């Protein structure tokens, strides 16, 4: 037999690379090596294998590919992975190099050499031999001379007979040639007892608190793979009791010794605490017993161990726990007054143990979960908020040098180093950690649709995301965010500064009749970056006639928002799929078929209509559809949405929506040049910063939202809560106040509830806040109502709903003011305003006081009162301002055309 000869230096170089080290460990130890994330090492019982922690293998850094074995009975204290292969496989150096070369795909030299004969496995890797009698006697004599250890054992209730029965002693100092201050000394040695009652050469150690020096564990430790530790010969016994550790086994054995229970009850434990011996994983081990009792401690760790055994045993098993009043374990039980009779009663009444569905721990690798059956929730990872972290996927190009087989023209094949390139999806977590989705190992024969795709932190994803089409967070900004988080620098400016810039940009993007709507839109944009931290969010309807700037406004909002995109006309199926895949803000532009105020037909877009109705709520925003292959697909519709149209929405969707009205801008505003439209340079910079803000603040948003929702119930408050949270996080008094005004107005004008009387009250309140204190005119009231898009006062008479038509009737307005107790008396009269009569009414001082007290906080005071208290005061709303500064400039021409014309003619400076 011959073998390829490999370049030793090349193999050693390969064994310094992390992925190669992991590949070797997986192939060599078949799952026994477990990864310790904190130390970036793999751990084993010893370098020959077995589950445990005594042996540590570095996979990165200066000592990558090197191991240190703290196992006292290990064959090597330290070495390289080549040494590890020699130990595990019983081969010599050349055999180890050959095995590694084949595994890692190294380039072999051309010459062949004879493969050396494999060395016979060492006796230590075969079944453990009996303990050396001389060594054992030395350990026992050492215990006799150690009063500290004897006092410890007696303190746990053990007699001299029990100590002798289990052959307890004191372990020799280890390592023997190490300085005394580094040696492990004073540990109790307890040779493993097999099922025939023999002492074996495997000797677990028990720590004596305050006496054992340099212990490997505060309680005790053992080398090698876990073994079953018996309390004596098992022949003839029919019942099996599993204890959590040797100390409990010793005490239980002592209590039942010489009783009828002793003749039928065998007691076992694992040499490694929570480590499972190989034979326990075989259901045949458990079938031979008439009954099995699991007596692990009455804590979470004991329950996990019992559940593990229950699953391996695949039979009826009974769980027996120490009563809480008697302690945690069986030593506590007997030390605290428990009797053998009490123990036998617990045996007789022990309940059967059913399988428990364990809970996975969030944000840790799946490999760290205990064996078991878990609930599964597959997450669309794009913008997901899971376990207190925000996630964002992005694509990178990976380039590396790789050896690949190349076929020459003459048919010969050889390996050649090539530069290879591929797209790679990565996910950044809000703490700056970058993760990679990968398909997890699965049992043989698992179909593709049952395989698990997960991130390194254990988050299970529905699929490897394809973020290229929708991602708006750019790679350079992501890198900067990661660098800032990991170096402790702030990844974004304070939110109040971002808010100021955002509102300022919105005011250059579009003109809105309500100033506070800029705060509403800014809050909605910011909310889109943390929307998954909430359970329900509102939609936004941008409503207005043609030419009012709806589409430009919506496009600008999409440019600012989280993964924002505009979707125009198209098939409803394309629209629905886009909403599911985008996982960000979606603008549905010119959507005229989603329902009308007066109940016209909506069947043409019924699927979209239904999608919108459920998409405001995370729990209901999921729909199952059947694709063209007959497979069921779960689509997620929950997310921020902006709709633009002329006709409005049906009542159901309107109850989930905040409406922002667009109007053609006044000539004065257009002439001022303040509206400059889209500026993608500004929106791009703001968007990148808001991405960073959202990643950092999703948890804070969720926490504030939970506190707020604890006292909220109805839908109106539910959809307002996310925006209120944004205002709270901003710590920006002006923004928070403006947003509150916008939300108050939205709540007051719900379509199903709005009445002409309510509109008159709202308009009157606004007039008081603008400065009126003594008198109010019908003409100013009509101007204020005209500013309210929901009043529809400026629409053609045909399109104004019948119930709102009364708002054009001055006589009805006067009666409404009286009915609402806004007027003080029935008295009224008229005064000329630029030659045109205005009818005035006395304001009720009580109404004025209520408005001033309830509507404005001290730090956002109403405008100063109009001067004077005679009836001229009623006309101050127009006489005391120029047209370009007047709040009614956009509606005055339509409501009071004679006043506007007369003012310009009589006082050109004021009418400017």
């Amino acid at each position: 037999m011959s073998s390829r000869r490999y370049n030793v230096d090349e193999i050693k170089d390969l064994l310094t690379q992390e992925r190669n080290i992991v590949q070797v460990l997986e192939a060599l130890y078949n799952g026994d090596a477990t990864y310790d994330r904190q130390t970036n090492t793999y751990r084993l019982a010893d370098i020959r294998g077995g589950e445990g922690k005594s042996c540590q293998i570095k996979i990165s850094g200066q000592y990558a590919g090197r191991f240190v074995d703290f196992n006292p009975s290990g064959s090597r204290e330290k070495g390289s992975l080549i040494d590890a292969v020699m130990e595990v496989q019983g081969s010599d150096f050349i055999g180890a190099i050959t095995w590694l070369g084949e595994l890692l795909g190294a380039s072999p030299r051309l010459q062949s050499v004879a493969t050396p004969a494999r060395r016979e496995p060492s006796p230590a890797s075969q079944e453990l031999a009996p303990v050396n009698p001389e060594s054992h006697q030395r350990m026992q004599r050492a215990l006799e001379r150690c009063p500290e250890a004897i006092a410890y054992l007696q303190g746990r209730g053990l007699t001299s007979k029990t100590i002798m029965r289990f052959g307890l002693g004191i372990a020799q100092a280890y390592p023997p040639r190490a300085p005394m201050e580094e040696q492990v000394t004073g540990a109790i040695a307890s040779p493993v007892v097999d099922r025939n009652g023999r002492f074996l050469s495997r000797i677990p150690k028990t720590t004596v608190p305050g006496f054992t020096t340099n212990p490997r564990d505060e309680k005790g430790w053992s080398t090698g793979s876990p073994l079953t530790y018996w309390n004596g010969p098992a022949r003839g016994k029919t019942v099996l009791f599993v204890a959590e550790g040797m100390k409990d086994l010793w005490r239980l054995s002592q209590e039942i010794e010489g009783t009828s229970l002793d003749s039928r009850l065998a007691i076992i434990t694992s040499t490694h605490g929570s480590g499972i011996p190989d034979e326990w994983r075989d259901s045949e081990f458990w079938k031979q017993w008439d009954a099995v009792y699991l007596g692990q401690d009455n804590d979470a760790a004991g329950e996990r161990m019992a559940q593990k055994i229950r699953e391996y045993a695949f039979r009826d098993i009974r769980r027996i726990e120490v009563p809480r009043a008697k302690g945690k374990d069986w030593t506590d039980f007997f030390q605290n007054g428990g009797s053998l009779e009490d123990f036998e009663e617990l045996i007789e009444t022990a309940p059967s143990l059913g399988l428990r569905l364990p809970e996975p721990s969030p944000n840790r690798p799946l490999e760290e979960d205990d064996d078991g059956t878990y609930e599964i929730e597959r997450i669309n990872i794009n913008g997901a908020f899971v376990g207190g972290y925000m996630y964002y996927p992005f694509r990178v190009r990976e380039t590396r040098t790789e050896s690949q087989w190349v076929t020459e023209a003459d048919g010969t094949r050889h390996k050649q180093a090539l530069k290879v390139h591929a797209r790679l999806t990565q996910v950044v977590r809000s703490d700056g950690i970058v993760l990679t989705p990968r398909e997890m190992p699965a049992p043989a024969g698992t179909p593709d649709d049952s395989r698990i795709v997960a991130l390194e932190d254990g988050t299970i994803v529905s699929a490897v995301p394809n973020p290229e089409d929708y991602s708006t967070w750019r790679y350079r900004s992501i890198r900067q965010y990661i660098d800032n988080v990991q170096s402790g620098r702030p990844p974004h400016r304070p939110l109040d500064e971002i808010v100021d810039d955002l509102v300022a940009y919105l005011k250059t993007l579009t003109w809105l009749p309500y100033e506070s709507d800029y705060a509403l839109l800014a809050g909605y944009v910011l909310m889109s970056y943390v929307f998954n931290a909430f359970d329900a969010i509102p939609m936004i309807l941008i409503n207005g006639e043609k030419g009012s700037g709806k589409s430009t406004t919506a496009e600008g909002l999409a440019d600012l928002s989280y993964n924002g995109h505009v979707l125009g006309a198209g098939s409803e199926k394309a629209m629905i799929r886009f909403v599911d895949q985008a996982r960000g803000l979606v603008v549905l532009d010119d959507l005229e078929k989603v329902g009308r105020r007066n109940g016209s037909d909506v069947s043409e877009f019924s699927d979209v209509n239904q999608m919108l109705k459920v998409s405001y709520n995370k729990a209901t925003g999921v729909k199952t559809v059947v694709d063209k292959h007959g497979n069921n697909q779960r689509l997620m519709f929950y997310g921020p949405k902006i709709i633009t149209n002329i006709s409005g929405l049906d009542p159901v969707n309107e109850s989930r929506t905040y409406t922002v009205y667009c109007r053609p801008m006044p000539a004065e505003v257009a002439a001022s040049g303040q509206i400059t439209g889209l500026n993608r340079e500004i929106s791009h910079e703001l968007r990148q910063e808001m991405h960073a803000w959202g990643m950092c603040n999703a948890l804070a948003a969720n926490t504030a939202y939970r506190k707020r929702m604890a006292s909220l119930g109805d839908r109106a408050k539910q959809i307002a809560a996310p925006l209120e949270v944004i205002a709270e996080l901003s710590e920006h008094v002006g923004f928070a106040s403006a947003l509150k005004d916008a939300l108050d107005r939205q709540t007051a004008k719900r379509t199903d509830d709005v009445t002409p009387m309510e509109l008159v009250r709202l308009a009157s309140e606004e007039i008081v806040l603008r400065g009126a204190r003594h008198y109010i005119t019908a003409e100013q009231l009509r101007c204020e109502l005209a500013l309210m898009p929901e009043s529809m006062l400026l629409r053609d008479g045909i399109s104004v709903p019948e119930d709102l038509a009364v708002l054009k009737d001055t006589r009805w307005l006067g009666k409404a003011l009286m009915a609402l107790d806004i007027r003080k008396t029935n008295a009224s009269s008229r005064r000329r305003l630029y030659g045109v009569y205005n009818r005035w009414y006395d304001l009720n001082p009580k109404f004025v006081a209520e408005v001033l007290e309830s509507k404005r906080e001290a730090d956002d005071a109403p405008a100063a009162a109009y001067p004077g208290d005679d009836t001229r005061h009623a006309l101050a709303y127009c006489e005391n301002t120029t047209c370009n500064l007047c709040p009614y400039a956009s509606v005055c021409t339509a409501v009071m055309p004679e006043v506007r014309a007369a003012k310009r003619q009589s006082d050109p400076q004021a009418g400017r």
Side-chain angles (χ1 to χ4, degrees):
M1 180 178 180
S2 63
S3 171
R4 294 169 174 171
R5 172 173 289 180
Y6 290 88
N7 186 314
V8 174
D9 290 336
E10 181 184 355
I11 297 297
K12 288 181 177 179
D13 182 60
L14 290 173
L15 291 179
T16 62
Q17 300 172 25
E18 183 172 323
R19 62 179 179 181
N20 293 332
I21 296 171
V22 174
Q23 182 180 357
V24 170
L25 295 179
E26 289 177 351
L28 196 60
Y29 296 109
N30 194 27
D32 281 351
T34 57
Y35 180 58
D36 185 334
R37 181 179 292 271
Q38 292 184 337
T39 60
N40 201 27
T41 61
Y42 275 80
R43 294 179 175 240
L44 293 154
D46 59 46
I47 197 57
R48 292 187 298 267
E51 295 180 2
K53 298 182 178 180
S54 299
C55 182
Q56 301 177 12
I57 305 172
K58 288 283 186 182
I59 64 171
S60 63
Q62 180 180 357
Y63 298 104
R66 306 287 299 178
F67 69 83
V68 177
D69 193 347
F70 296 101
N71 189 335
S73 64
S75 59
R76 284 179 183 264
E77 185 176 344
K78 55 188 176 182
S80 68
L81 282 183
I82 300 174
D83 299 318
V85 173
M86 293 166 62
E87 285 296 321
V88 174
Q89 298 196 337
S91 64
D92 61 8
F93 183 81
I94 295 177
I97 292 294
T98 302
W99 184 85
L100 289 166
E102 294 289 344
L103 177 68
L104 301 177
S107 302
R109 293 181 177 178
L110 297 180
Q111 66 266 36
S112 296
V113 297
T115 301
R118 288 173 61 93
R119 214 168 52 186
E120 289 297 321
S122 64
S125 66
Q126 300 176 358
E127 181 153 1
L128 288 170
V131 67
N132 183 296
E134 294 179 359
S135 297
H136 189 197
Q137 288 173 9
R138 281 197 298 269
M139 289 188 290
Q140 289 178 300
R141 287 196 296 268
L143 177 60
E144 294 173 1
R145 300 190 299 269
C146 187
E148 294 87 352
I150 292 176
Y152 169 74
L153 294 171
Q154 291 176 342
R156 298 189 64 82
L158 300 182
T159 65
S160 299
K161 183 178 180 181
T162 301
I163 294 172
M164 180 64 68
R165 171 184 173 182
F166 287 98
L168 306 185
I170 294 293
Q172 294 179 342
Y174 178 84
R177 286 186 288 273
M180 289 185 61
E181 63 273 11
E182 297 178 8
Q183 289 183 332
V184 179
T185 64
I188 294 174
S190 49
V192 171
V193 181
D194 69 7
R195 68 183 304 148
N196 297 314
R198 298 182 306 164
F199 292 129
L200 302 180
S201 60
R202 175 77 66 82
I203 303 178
K205 313 300 187 299
T206 299
T207 300
V208 179
F211 178 69
T212 305
T213 64
N214 302 315
R216 302 300 183 210
D217 186 88
E218 62 179 8
K219 293 183 179 180
W221 67 96
S222 182
T223 61
S225 56
L227 294 178
T228 306
Y229 186 108
W230 298 76
N231 73 323
R235 183 185 295 275
K237 297 183 178 181
T238 58
V239 178
L240 186 65
F241 184 97
V242 185
E244 181 154 323
M246 293 182 297
K247 288 173 279 191
D248 275 359
L249 178 145
W250 299 334
R251 186 62 189 269
L252 279 167
S253 300
Q254 177 177 290
E255 296 297 331
I256 69 171
E257 186 175 10
T259 68
S260 59
L261 194 59
D262 191 19
S263 64
R264 66 179 190 276
L265 183 68
I267 305 174
I268 64 171
T269 190
S270 169
T271 55
H272 284 65
S274 61
I276 301 289
D278 286 341
E279 60 183 336
W280 292 17
R281 301 173 190 269
D282 186 351
S283 60
E284 294 297 324
F285 176 82
W286 307 97
K287 288 180 180 177
Q288 58 188 293
W289 306 96
D290 292 345
V292 176
Y293 294 87
L294 302 182
Q296 280 78 17
D297 295 353
N298 58 18
D299 58 12
E303 185 62 25
R304 286 194 299 269
M305 186 68 170
Q307 284 290 337
K308 277 186 184 180
I309 296 171
R310 168 66 176 80
E311 292 171 19
Y312 288 131
F314 204 70
R315 59 161 291 168
D316 179 62
I317 282 185
R318 296 188 177 276
R319 178 76 164 106
I320 174 172
E321 293 187 32
V322 175
R324 296 299 195 273
K326 297 289 187 183
K328 185 176 74 172
D329 56 33
W330 295 106
T331 301
D332 292 342
F333 174 77
F334 291 113
Q335 292 290 86
N336 292 327
S339 65
L340 183 59
E341 291 75 18
D342 296 333
F343 178 72
E344 289 181 312
E345 184 178 348
L346 291 171
I347 287 277
E348 291 173 4
T349 60
S352 292
L353 179 64
L355 282 178
R356 176 180 61 88
L357 293 178
E359 289 293 330
S361 296
N363 308 125
R364 75 173 189 187
L366 296 185
E367 291 87 343
E368 294 185 12
D369 279 338
D370 296 328
D371 291 352
T373 305
Y374 293 87
E375 176 188 21
I376 182 172
E377 181 181 3
R378 297 194 300 172
I379 304 296
N380 185 323
I381 202 62
N382 197 348
F385 176 72
V386 184
Y389 290 109
M390 191 89 168
Y391 295 82
Y392 196 92
F394 61 99
R395 277 281 178 91
V396 294
R397 173 175 59 85
E398 182 185 38
T399 298
R400 65 172 182 262
T401 302
E402 189 175 271
S403 294
Q404 293 190 357
W405 286 102
V406 176
T407 303
E408 300 292 354
D410 59 1
T412 59
R413 298 183 74 240
H414 63 91
K415 279 195 171 182
Q416 179 177 321
L418 296 175
K419 287 282 187 182
V420 294
H421 315 273
R423 292 186 302 174
L424 178 66
T425 296
Q426 293 183 322
V427 179
V428 60
R429 200 169 66 184
S430 51
D431 58 355
I433 300 299
V434 176
L435 308 166
T436 304
R438 62 187 177 95
E439 189 174 276
M440 304 302 293
T446 300
D448 290 343
D449 60 358
S450 295
R451 293 179 177 271
I452 298 293
V453 177
L455 308 179
E456 290 96 325
D457 68 354
T459 303
I460 299 175
V461 302
S462 54
V464 175
N466 180 15
E468 288 168 303
D469 295 335
Y470 308 110
S471 294
T472 55
W473 199 10
R474 299 303 175 223
Y475 180 71
R476 180 177 297 178
S477 180
I478 293 173
R479 285 292 305 272
Q480 184 178 0
Y481 173 81
I482 293 169
D483 291 344
N484 287 337
V485 170
Q486 292 182 348
S487 63
R489 295 189 299 268
H492 59 83
R493 292 178 296 157
L495 182 56
D496 59 342
E497 296 181 18
I498 299 175
V499 165
D500 282 338
D501 287 352
L502 180 57
V503 172
Y505 173 66
L506 290 174
K507 288 182 178 180
T508 66
L509 173 69
T510 187
W511 178 82
L512 298 175
Y514 281 110
E515 182 81 8
S516 59
D517 278 346
Y518 292 110
L520 177 63
L521 294 180
Y524 199 80
V525 167
L526 284 163
M527 185 209 67
S528 73
Y529 288 88
V530 291
F531 76 92
N532 267 313
F534 308 121
D535 295 333
I537 58 175
M539 296 183 289
I540 294 288
L541 171 66
I542 299 180
N543 183 254
E545 63 257 43
K546 289 183 178 179
S548 60
K550 301 185 305 296
S551 296
T552 300
T553 302
E555 185 179 351
L557 293 171
D559 281 348
L560 287 165
S561 299
Y562 180 91
N563 288 4
H565 285 78
V566 178
L567 187 63
S571 73
E572 62 183 69
K573 285 185 169 38
M575 190 178 301
I576 288 172
R577 196 164 301 281
F578 184 93
V579 171
D580 171 67
Q581 293 176 358
R583 304 303 301 128
L585 183 138
V586 179
V587 172
L588 303 175
D589 195 24
D590 291 329
L591 200 61
E592 293 298 330
K593 304 293 185 178
V594 185
R596 301 176 187 274
R597 177 184 173 88
N598 297 322
S600 58
D601 180 37
V602 295
S603 59
E604 183 178 348
F605 274 70
S606 58
D607 279 356
V608 176
N609 196 31
Q610 292 301 316
M611 177 266 289
L612 291 176
K613 286 178 180 178
V614 300
S615 65
Y616 82 101
N617 189 294
K618 186 183 290 187
T620 61
V622 181
K623 182 177 180 181
T624 301
V625 299
V626 181
D627 64 18
K628 62 182 180 181
H629 302 295
N631 300 317
N632 289 338
Q633 283 188 301
R634 295 177 74 241
L635 303 179
M636 172 59 79
F637 298 141
Y638 172 69
K641 294 174 187 62
I642 294 176
I643 302 165
T644 73
N645 71 11
I646 297 173
S647 56
L649 299 177
D650 64 280
V652 175
N653 275 315
E654 193 164 30
S655 70
R656 298 152 165 79
T657 305
Y658 291 144
T659 303
V660 173
Y661 292 92
C662 277
R663 291 269 182 83
M665 72 179 73
E668 292 84 353
V669 176
S672 70
Q674 69 186 58
I675 306 301
T676 56
L678 294 170
N679 187 323
R680 289 197 162 87
E681 228 177 88
I682 296 176
S683 62
H684 173 79
E685 292 301 321
L686 282 170
R687 174 186 259 170
Q688 300 310 302
E689 188 169 24
M690 286 187 288
H691 268 297
W693 172 84
M695 289 292 282
C696 288
N697 290 277
L699 180 58
N702 179 260
T703 302
Y705 176 74
R706 296 294 165 206
K707 291 180 181 177
R708 189 173 293 271
M709 289 305 297
S711 59
L712 298 182
D714 61 47
R715 179 182 299 151
K717 293 179 179 177
Q718 189 181 28
I719 66 172
L723 292 170
E724 291 170 343
V725 165
I726 298 300
E728 178 184 333
L729 295 178
S730 74
E731 299 181 344
H732 189 306
V733 175
F735 170 69
S737 176
L739 183 56
K740 181 179 183 302
D741 286 349
L743 294 178
D744 287 347
R745 193 179 69 255
Q746 294 285 336
T747 302
K749 73 170 187 59
R750 306 314 304 178
T751 301
D752 292 342
D753 303 323
V754 70
T755 67
M757 297 290 279
E758 288 173 331
L759 292 173
V760 169
R761 172 177 284 280
L762 289 170
S764 301
E765 290 175 352
E766 200 65 33
I767 287 172
V768 170
L769 296 174
R770 293 190 194 279
R773 300 291 186 271
H774 308 292
Y775 303 99
I776 184 173
T777 69
E779 283 67 23
Q780 185 182 6
L781 188 59
R782 289 177 59 220
C783 283
E784 198 67 53
L785 287 167
L787 282 179
M788 295 182 175
E790 59 270 24
S791 75
M792 304 185 184
L793 200 62
L794 298 185
R795 287 198 175 190
D796 295 336
I798 298 175
S799 64
V800 176
E802 185 177 347
D803 59 336
L804 299 182
V806 293
L807 295 174
K808 293 191 173 187
D809 185 345
T810 302
R811 288 175 300 175
W812 182 89
L813 290 176
K815 293 177 182 179
L817 291 173
M818 196 69 194
L820 291 168
D821 209 19
I822 295 173
R823 286 172 60 182
K824 182 169 64 174
T825 66
N826 283 323
S828 70
S829 187
R830 297 187 298 169
R831 293 209 63 162
R832 288 182 182 274
L833 176 65
Y834 295 103
V836 180
Y837 279 111
N838 270 218
R839 181 167 293 279
W840 59 262
Y841 311 95
D842 287 304
L843 277 170
N844 187 337
K846 182 181 177 182
F847 172 75
V848 173
E850 289 175 350
V851 171
L852 295 178
E853 181 179 354
S854 65
K855 287 295 184 180
R856 298 292 186 185
E857 302 295 338
D859 57 359
D860 189 15
Y866 295 150
D869 59 0
D870 63 0
T871 55
R872 203 78 201 167
H873 170 92
L875 307 180
Y877 75 93
C878 179
E879 290 182 335
N880 284 32
T881 186
T882 58
C883 290
N884 64 325
L885 297 177
C886 180
Y888 306 124
S890 62
V891 297
C892 177
T893 302
V895 177
M896 302 187 303
E898 301 90 347
V899 171
R900 183 65 175 266
K903 184 172 183 176
R904 285 183 171 178
Q905 184 174 1
S906 64
D907 186 358
Q909 190 68 21
R912 183 169 52 84

